[in-house]
Amino acid sequence: MAGQINAFEIAQQQFDKVADQLGLDEQVRQILRWPAREFHMHIPVRMDDGKIRIFEAFRVQHNDARGPNKGGLRFHPAETIDTVRALAMWMTWKCAVADIPLGGGKGGVVVDPATLSVGEKERLCRAYMRTMWRNLGPRQDVPAPDVGSTPQMMGWMMDEYSRITGQYTPGVITGKPVGGGGSLGRTEATGFGVIYTVREAMKHLGLDPASCTAAIQGFGNVAQYASIGFNEILGGKVVCVSCWDREDKVSYTFSKPDGINPTFLKSITDQYGTINKEKARNAGYEIEDGGAWISKPVDVLIPAALEGQVNSETVKLIHPKVKILAEGANGPTTPEADSALNERGIFVIPDFLCNSGGVTVSYFEGVQNDMNFYWPREEVFEKLNTNMTTAFGAVLDMSLSQNVSMRDAAYMVAIHKVVKAMELRGWI
Ligand code: NAD
């Protein structure tokens, strides 16, 4: 998915660096360097033309010392076992940093969902659940939406699991549609959570949010609500977003120096995060090369698309004005680029802290499912804000007290919690 960059190698490198700094025991290190369980599947599905197509799919369960495995399910043509391993490992750290009692997991199906009819998508989702159900469940492993998957797809999978087990089990999956076991606020959660961490970073750096600008990569679930949040929560201005264009097979940046209107752009964007070029151009947006977002003279950069986007080449394009890089995406920065950002003094909010709002509200969704009692939207956002602010504060304190980067500090906070849980359970 990230071209030449192997996401799992990056995840292991990041972990090894901090394991060295902590002097982590070799055996503990070996447990945490690899996923506990991996499922490789070949799932047959009948297509609309009557033929059977085989889909390659994965589920990886990295570590469940702190609670059931938790993590999204991607539908993407370039998914590999290594991207899923990396994402599962990052989920373990994310749940620990966010201080929610869950472990790390991730899944993937190798497909471009936009090439499937609605019926084919539903049959694929149900088939995935029929293949995996014995190893999923509210107390085992709980998937959620991610790149290329939607609340409706979660709804179908929850229904399939409930039919197989004979029991209505909404807690088997999160990110379900509201009214079908979903939580209010889940759609906005990751993007708004990104903005809560940006707000805390601005406080720490003494920046006035209302006079700050941002450039965002991507315009899917995370980027849409990060843009809306940057405007509405911080009062700042987003000058561009970008997306992958399926027809042209390239990415584009959609810019407006005096500020984009994210709500308007959202209204002309399809369910996979592709903005309609014609309508955007008619509304006065300049359409630039997909890489243009990273060189904008803004205060905040928010990569919110895929892995490996801030790398040894693109990092050189970052404008001197940039003060904060908020990682909305998982694994957007390579280790070489990370070192360059640190040398330049750019404040990085690492992915598994920055985008932990999604899994936090997924956890709230599971709690509401267990209680069969649903909270109002304001209560969800209030709890999310409190959790994210606390998580950011803990990582910042670690970074200042240990004189390490925010990424290394986030790893330290997370590894301490996971190792503690393994000790308490007698695993080590
Ligand atoms: P999405 O599928 O809704 O959107 C992805 C966006 O990225 C789309 O707009 C797509 O056009 C764009 N994109 C893809 N390739 C691109 C490229 N080369 N250049 C520019 N844009 C490109 O996905 P999402 O749910 O918004 O997830 C985005 C990132 O955030 C992923 O790394 C995902 O793992 C991570 N994440 C998502 C959630 C969540 O709750 N959705 C939570 C945590 C982390």
Side-chain angles (χ1 to χ4, degrees):
M1 204 172 246
Q4 299 304 311
I5 300 156
N6 183 314
F8 187 49
E9 282 172 19
I10 292 178
Q12 286 187 321
Q13 272 179 40
Q14 291 171 345
F15 168 73
D16 286 341
K17 181 180 170 205
V18 179
D20 284 344
Q21 287 168 352
L22 293 174
L24 203 65
D25 176 82
E26 186 55 31
Q27 290 165 34
V28 174
R29 193 188 286 226
Q30 288 311 321
I31 295 175
L32 292 172
R33 283 191 97 237
W34 285 93
R37 282 173 295 277
E38 297 183 351
F39 302 85
H40 297 226
M41 295 162 274
H42 292 92
I43 303 176
V45 176
R46 192 168 301 282
M47 307 305 280
D48 289 347
D49 64 5
K51 294 196 178 121
I52 300 280
R53 182 171 153 194
I54 311 292
F55 291 88
E56 190 180 5
F58 313 103
R59 185 75 192 169
V60 173
Q61 297 169 345
H62 175 256
N63 184 288
D64 58 1
R66 300 184 68 255
N69 297 102
K70 182 86 192 89
L73 181 53
R74 279 192 177 181
F75 284 64
H76 193 280
E79 209 58 67
T80 68
I81 185 64
D82 278 340
T83 53
V84 181
R85 283 172 171 157
L87 291 159
M89 191 170 178
W90 284 324
M91 284 306 299
T92 300
W93 312 135
K94 191 180 299 188
C95 293
V97 151
D99 208 17
I100 53 180
L102 297 169
K106 202 79 180 190
V109 181
V110 184
V111 63
D112 178 354
T115 61
L116 303 178
S117 71
V118 174
E120 288 169 340
K121 243 185 313 197
E122 177 172 355
R123 291 195 291 280
L124 173 58
C125 287
R126 290 185 183 277
Y128 184 94
M129 186 51 94
R130 281 197 302 279
T131 313
M132 265 308 296
W133 75 276
R134 284 178 199 283
N135 296 287
L136 299 176
R139 300 289 172 265
Q140 279 179 277
D141 182 5
V142 184
D146 201 275
V147 176
S149 51
T150 60
Q152 173 62 76
M153 290 155 82
M154 302 302 112
W156 289 325
M157 284 191 261
M158 181 277 275
D159 180 69
E160 191 67 19
Y161 185 89
S162 297
R163 283 171 190 237
I164 295 168
T165 58
Q167 291 187 5
Y168 175 60
T169 316
V172 66
I173 206 160
T174 59
K176 300 176 293 296
V178 171
S183 171
L184 288 167
R186 173 62 185 89
T187 309
E188 299 90 335
T190 310
F192 281 11
V194 167
I195 297 308
Y196 295 146
T197 65
V198 170
R199 181 195 61 206
E200 295 306 302
M202 287 177 171
K203 244 184 239 171
H204 169 64
L205 299 173
L207 300 173
D208 168 28
S211 61
C212 284
T213 51
I216 301 185
Q217 187 193 34
F219 201 59
N221 174 265
V222 180
Q224 288 173 12
Y225 288 99
S227 319
I228 292 172
F230 202 87
N231 283 358
E232 293 180 2
I233 299 170
L234 302 180
K237 199 167 70 181
V238 178
V239 301
C240 70
V241 293
S242 71
C243 73
W244 177 256
D245 191 287
R246 279 165 202 280
E247 277 175 22
D248 300 353
K249 300 202 173 2
V250 288
S251 56
Y252 294 112
T253 299
F254 295 74
S255 311
K256 239 189 194 179
D258 55 346
I260 63 152
N261 178 341
T263 310
F264 165 72
L265 281 182
K266 190 167 166 287
S267 75
I268 59 163
T269 299
D270 72 14
Q271 62 176 316
Y272 303 109
T274 299
I275 302 168
N276 183 308
K277 291 200 297 292
E278 197 58 35
K279 290 183 180 164
R281 199 176 280 119
N282 289 342
Y285 285 82
E286 189 187 346
I287 303 181
E288 302 175 82
D289 176 79
W293 72 281
I294 204 166
S295 48
K296 297 284 176 192
V298 289
D299 303 283
V300 184
L301 286 178
I302 308 181
L306 294 174
E307 304 89 40
Q309 302 297 308
V310 185
N311 52 47
S312 51
E313 288 308 310
T314 57
V315 74
K316 295 176 198 154
L317 305 174
I318 294 179
H319 196 274
K321 185 173 174 3
V322 171
K323 298 170 195 75
I324 297 171
L325 183 113
E327 296 183 336
N330 285 311
T333 307
T334 64
E336 303 79 47
D338 205 27
S339 305
L341 292 167
N342 282 336
E343 274 163 31
R344 283 179 57 175
I346 294 175
F347 188 90
V348 176
I349 311 173
D351 48 7
F352 63 81
L353 168 65
C354 189
N355 67 33
S356 62
V359 74
T360 302
V361 175
S362 273
Y363 164 62
F364 295 163
E365 182 177 328
V367 171
Q368 294 169 77
N369 292 155
D370 277 351
M371 295 191 297
N372 208 7
F373 176 74
Y374 290 82
W375 308 339
R377 185 184 302 274
E378 299 68 38
E379 191 174 341
V380 173
F381 289 140
E382 200 184 304
K383 287 184 160 70
L384 173 65
N385 193 355
T386 304
N387 267 53
M388 303 263 340
T389 306
T390 307
F392 182 95
V395 173
L396 182 63
D397 286 350
M398 180 69 89
S399 161
L400 296 174
S401 69
Q402 300 301 309
N403 194 22
V404 293
S405 69
M406 284 289 282
R407 188 183 316 281
D408 290 354
Y411 267 96
M412 286 179 180
V413 170
I415 292 170
H416 279 311
K417 286 192 187 161
V418 176
V419 170
K420 181 85 185 156
M422 293 201 300
E423 273 168 10
L424 291 171
R425 292 182 64 170
W427 292 8
I428 51 175

